[in-house]
Amino acid sequence: MSDPMIDAELARTCWDDAALAWDDFVEHGDYYRSELHGPALLDACGDLAGRDVLDLGCGQGWFTRRLAGRGARVTGVDWSPRLIERARRYEADAPQGARYAVLDAAQVDAHFAPASFDLVTGCMSLMDMPAPGAALAAARALVRPGGRIVMSVTHPVTEATYRAWERDAQGRKLSLRIDRYFEAGTTLVDWNMARVATPFRTVVYRKTLEQWSALIEEAGLVITRLREPRPDAETIARRIELADAARVPFFLLFELRAAA
Ligand SMILES: C[S@@+](CC[C@H](N)C(=O)[O-])C[C@H]1O[C@@H](n2cnc3c(N)ncnc32)[C@H](O)[C@@H]1O
């Protein structure tokens, strides 16, 4: 179910207002990103040396910088001017040659020549876009023949409308209760967990697996690989908070290519 009061401009403003709090969270609180879905997405990107890469919904550039660190010629775009300002500041402090632009991912194909990238990425950004189908179609227009789109999203199953851990008397997690999966829609999400220093709100456009599949097909793309990253024993030993991510999938990675 969607809240009719939530429009795209509210979604963009939320991200812009959250820029400093999000930056702090990404750099200091988001261990799922640093230990799990970030490395998995980078791994899925493969060899990046000398590749032209476009990072959609790049935020303050956390993933963009990692792409550049692997030798990619990378451009990050985001519709939030404040997040792009943060990204440019990181680039100025430690230059890697990453470029940034304030752009709506849904219209990004109007700003670059067709087929000018080897790879288009989206690190946890497509489910935060009001028109992810348009962004995917734009990405398709921008990848060279044989190019790929590699993106991560929150896992549709565990990102269901109702989600709560059932716990024992000691507070240990027994099982994850999921309900109202098919009520996917647009909602305001409060980021007020313990690992978020300064709470903020953003808009999320929840989708079922079937809806993602349909969007991908409508954009003229096919899924060539799916991954559900989960931590190995060594990662859990280092960061015990990630143990729950070895029980249920929190993230989903898509590798996409243009349909024949
Ligand atoms: C969860 S954040 C992820 C940011 C970044 N990729 C990262 O991993 O840190 C989602 C990002 O998507 C951006 N976004 C949402 N809709 C967008 C759109 N239509 N065009 C460009 N960026 C968008 C937001 O501004 C936000 O920076």
Side-chain angles (χ1 to χ4, degrees):
M1 257 185 292
S2 296
D3 182 336
M5 300 303 285
I6 301 174
D7 61 14
E9 183 50 23
L10 174 66
R12 196 192 62 78
T13 307
C14 279
W15 278 109
D16 214 43
D17 291 346
L20 292 184
W22 173 254
D23 184 28
D24 182 63
F25 172 61
V26 166
E27 296 300 324
H28 306 294
D30 192 0
Y31 43 79
Y32 286 100
R33 149 194 304 273
S34 55
E35 303 277 346
L36 186 58
H37 68 73
L41 188 65
L42 201 55
D43 180 59
C45 289
D47 181 14
L48 288 161
R51 308 263 189 228
D52 293 308
V53 182
L54 176 66
D55 189 26
L56 296 181
C58 66
Q60 48 82 285
W62 186 90
F63 191 67
T64 323
R65 294 196 295 281
R66 273 136 191 97
L67 293 165
R70 289 275 189 95
R73 276 188 299 270
V74 61
T75 304
V77 302
D78 201 284
W79 66 355
S80 158
R82 283 191 197 146
L83 280 167
I84 290 296
E85 190 191 314
R86 302 298 301 168
R88 285 183 175 141
R89 201 168 295 179
Y90 282 109
E91 171 63 24
D93 289 348
Q96 293 179 299
R99 290 192 246 186
Y100 294 97
V102 179
L103 290 175
D104 185 340
Q107 292 153 27
V108 71
D109 51 337
H111 297 267
F112 300 97
S116 45
F117 294 95
D118 300 299
L119 176 72
V120 176
T121 58
C123 178
M124 303 302 287
S125 55
L126 271 286
M127 73 284 172
D128 291 342
M129 296 185 184
L136 286 171
R140 184 188 188 282
L142 291 175
V143 285
R144 297 185 173 125
R148 295 178 304 145
I149 298 160
V150 176
M151 66 181 204
S152 55
V153 295
T154 45
H155 200 293
V157 172
T158 51
E159 193 64 8
T161 303
Y162 178 83
R163 147 179 160 163
W165 282 99
E166 190 183 6
R167 295 173 187 265
D168 68 11
Q170 284 75 43
R172 286 183 297 241
K173 290 172 176 168
L174 293 174
S175 61
L176 183 65
R177 291 186 188 187
I178 294 293
D179 199 7
R180 295 161 59 199
Y181 168 78
F182 290 110
E183 289 179 24
T186 307
T187 46
L188 267 171
V189 171
D190 285 305
W191 296 70
N192 53 11
M193 312 85 89
R195 58 201 172 95
V196 177
T198 311
F200 56 93
R201 304 184 105 187
T202 63
V203 176
V204 171
Y205 301 85
R206 286 200 184 105
K207 307 228 169 337
T208 62
L209 280 168
E210 185 172 317
Q211 287 170 332
W212 277 119
S213 171
L215 282 174
I216 288 163
E217 189 181 346
E218 284 158 18
L221 296 162
V222 290
I223 300 170
T224 45
R225 190 152 187 197
L226 277 184
R227 297 186 190 190
E228 293 172 309
R230 56 179 155 148
D232 56 20
E234 195 184 308
T235 308
I236 296 172
R238 199 169 55 236
R239 176 64 86 172
I240 189 63
E241 295 93 328
L242 290 176
D244 53 3
R247 295 169 62 169
V248 288
F250 289 137
F251 309 103
L252 182 60
L253 270 56
F254 292 96
E255 180 197 75
L256 313 171
R257 292 177 195 262

